[in-house]
């Protein structure tokens, strides 16, 4: 069977009895704090747990963002869209505000579990901050939570310009069932970015097999699915020989400096992390580097992001 396979779009929701599973499906290559098998599904928030913001345009092509619960404020540079703001009479060309303008924020409705850089089980929520309309995206508010006795507890909120290639796909719901060869295949992570190089954004899904809705268990048979934006055609590929992980994650980055974004997969196990990196070549996904070589720490070193997953792979300096 080919390592990659192409199909037409087909995704369905499924449900099942919750079972807990454990185990390590890949050789550890980097120490990790991944330990617990606590029950960790996606958490749906109540309306009163939403984080409300106000957004005001101010002088200098800047938006002032205020968390109305904590009164904390931050500013966001919105000059990327200054031509539109000037044309619509919101700003003068010199950045002086001409017309009072407010933005708006998406509601926070769910939290997705993840392991932070220290191995702690945490939950993440994302809210896009908009300006004039849904096309005018200003920034993202990222909140990190703990869940104790099924009650979400807010730990921190950051507001900053977003890497839009690393925002979730809107085509699927995290932890929903996905129609593949197994009826226990779930969507574990997703992104929305152009990874085929045709300047049309694609939907990228990380799917794997697990028993039930808890995400904090080992998922096996991990595959990356690329749903092409131009025609909704789907292509999927195994992440490699080592294809299991606990709360695995995707990151979109240019791993081979060819100006086309690639797909980096982080697979935490009970004792270490394993990585895979895929690129689009000859109309299908292929490894940027052989998985074994990529996980040789004398050859490559992962660049770890603030939320624990790899956001890049650097060639190790020769000794």
């Amino acid at each position: 069977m080919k390592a990659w396979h192409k199909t037409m779009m087909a995704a369905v929701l499924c449900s099942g009895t919750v079972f807990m599973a454990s185990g390590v499906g890949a050789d550890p290559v980097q120490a990790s704090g991944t330990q617990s098998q606590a029950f960790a599904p996606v958490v749906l928030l109540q309306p009163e747990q939403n984080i409300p913001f106000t957004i005001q345009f101010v002088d200098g092509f800047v938006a002032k963002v205020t968390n109305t619960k904590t009164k904390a404020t931050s500013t966001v540079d919105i000059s990327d869209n200054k031509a539109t703001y000037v044309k619509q009479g919101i700003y003068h060309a010199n950045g002086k505000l001409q017309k009072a303008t407010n933005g708006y924020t998406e509601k926070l409705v769910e939290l997705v579990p993840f392991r932070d850089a220290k191995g702690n089980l945490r939950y993440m929520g994302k809210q896009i901050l908009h300006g004039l309309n849904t096309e005018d995206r200003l920034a993202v508010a990222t909140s990190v939570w703990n869940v104790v006795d099924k009650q979400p507890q807010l730990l921190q909120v950051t507001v900053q310009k977003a890497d839009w290639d690393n925002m979730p796909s809107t085509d699927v719901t995290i932890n929903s069932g996905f129609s593949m060869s197994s009826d226990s295949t779930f969507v574990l992570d997703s992104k929305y970015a152009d990874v085929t190089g045709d300047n049309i954004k694609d939907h990228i899904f990380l799917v794997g097999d697990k028993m039930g809705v808890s995400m904090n268990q080992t998922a096996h048979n991990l595959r990356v699915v690329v749903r092409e934006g131009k025609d909704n055609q789907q292509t999927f590929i195994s992440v490699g020989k080592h294809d299991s992980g606990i709360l695995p994650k995707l990151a979109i980055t240019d791993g081979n400096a060819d100006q086309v974004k690639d797909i980096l997969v982080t697979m935490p196990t009970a004792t270490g992390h394993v990585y895979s990196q895929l690129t689009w070549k000859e109309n299908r996904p292929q490894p940027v580097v052989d998985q074994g070589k990529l996980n040789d720490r004398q050859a490559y070193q992962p660049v770890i992001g603030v939320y624990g997953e790899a956001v890049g792979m650097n060639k190790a300096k020769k000794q």
Side-chain angles (χ1 to χ4, degrees):
M1 186 176 181
K2 292 182 179 179
W4 62 276
H5 188 76
K6 186 168 287 189
T7 66
M8 294 307 291
M9 181 179 70
V12 297
L13 296 178
C14 66
S15 61
T17 305
V18 177
F19 297 94
M20 298 306 293
S22 62
V24 180
D27 297 330
V29 295
Q30 178 179 326
S32 169
T34 304
Q35 299 291 339
S36 172
Q37 286 287 357
F39 181 69
V42 171
V43 174
L44 299 180
L45 293 178
Q46 298 300 314
E48 63 271 16
Q49 295 167 321
N50 177 54
I51 304 177
F53 295 90
T54 60
I55 303 169
Q56 298 173 300
F57 286 26
V58 298
D59 289 344
F61 296 110
V62 168
K64 178 182 177 182
V65 181
T66 302
N67 182 327
T68 59
K69 280 189 176 180
T70 66
K71 308 305 179 184
T73 63
S74 55
T75 58
V76 178
D77 178 1
I78 59 174
S79 60
D80 289 349
N81 203 23
K82 65 181 180 181
T84 298
Y85 301 146
V86 171
K87 183 178 180 180
Q88 296 195 10
I90 295 170
Y91 280 97
H92 294 288
N94 63 1
K96 185 71 174 177
L97 189 67
Q98 186 174 185
K99 181 172 63 176
T101 302
N102 296 325
Y104 62 98
T105 311
E106 294 179 352
K107 288 185 178 181
L108 182 61
V109 297
E110 69 176 21
L111 305 175
V112 176
F114 74 101
R115 289 277 177 180
D116 66 15
K118 295 181 179 180
N120 299 309
L121 178 63
R122 297 288 186 254
Y123 292 77
M124 180 184 298
K126 288 185 177 292
Q127 297 166 265
I128 297 178
L129 281 59
H130 297 278
L132 305 180
N133 48 48
T134 56
E135 300 298 319
D136 187 21
R137 299 183 298 180
L138 307 182
V140 172
T142 302
S143 53
V144 176
W145 303 65
N146 197 12
V147 176
V148 178
D149 295 331
K150 299 182 180 180
Q151 296 300 314
Q153 299 176 349
L154 181 62
L155 300 178
Q156 68 179 50
V157 183
T158 58
V159 176
Q160 58 189 7
K161 298 283 283 187
D163 175 0
W164 299 112
D165 285 340
N166 276 287
M167 292 298 292
S169 165
T170 56
D171 259 20
V172 297
T173 302
I174 297 299
N175 213 30
S176 63
F178 197 84
S179 128
M180 295 287 276
S181 58
S182 168
D183 60 4
S184 60
T185 302
F186 289 80
V187 178
L188 307 173
D189 199 6
S190 72
K191 301 296 180 187
Y192 184 51
D194 174 23
V195 295
T196 59
D198 60 3
N199 295 316
I200 301 173
K201 285 199 170 189
D202 312 294
H203 297 273
I204 304 99
F205 315 134
L206 178 62
V207 304
D209 301 338
K210 61 187 181 73
M211 298 302 293
V213 298
S214 178
M215 296 188 70
N216 193 34
Q217 58 178 300
T218 301
H220 301 279
N221 195 18
L222 296 175
R223 289 144 288 173
V224 169
V225 179
V226 177
R227 181 178 293 167
E228 296 182 61
K230 64 180 179 181
D231 57 13
N232 278 341
Q233 186 167 250
Q234 284 190 166
T235 306
F236 66 87
I237 183 173
S238 169
V239 297
K241 178 182 177 181
H242 299 301
D243 62 353
S244 298
I246 305 168
L247 290 171
K249 295 295 181 183
L250 294 172
I252 305 301
T253 182
D254 187 1
N256 55 4
D258 64 355
Q259 307 305 310
V260 177
K261 294 295 181 72
D262 303 314
I263 305 163
L264 179 58
V265 185
T266 298
M267 293 167 278
T269 73
T271 55
H273 285 135
V274 177
Y275 304 99
S276 292
Q277 194 161 38
L278 306 170
T279 189
W280 195 264
K281 187 176 181 181
E282 298 176 356
N283 202 34
R284 64 178 186 268
Q286 300 182 35
V288 174
V289 180
D290 176 78
Q291 190 188 46
K293 184 175 182 180
L294 188 70
N295 287 280
D296 179 354
R297 294 289 75 85
Q298 294 184 343
Y300 286 88
Q301 291 288 338
V303 180
I304 305 301
V306 295
Y307 300 113
E309 75 274 21
V311 295
M313 299 294 294
N314 288 339
K315 286 187 178 180
K317 294 181 180 179
K318 293 183 179 180
Q319 302 297 321

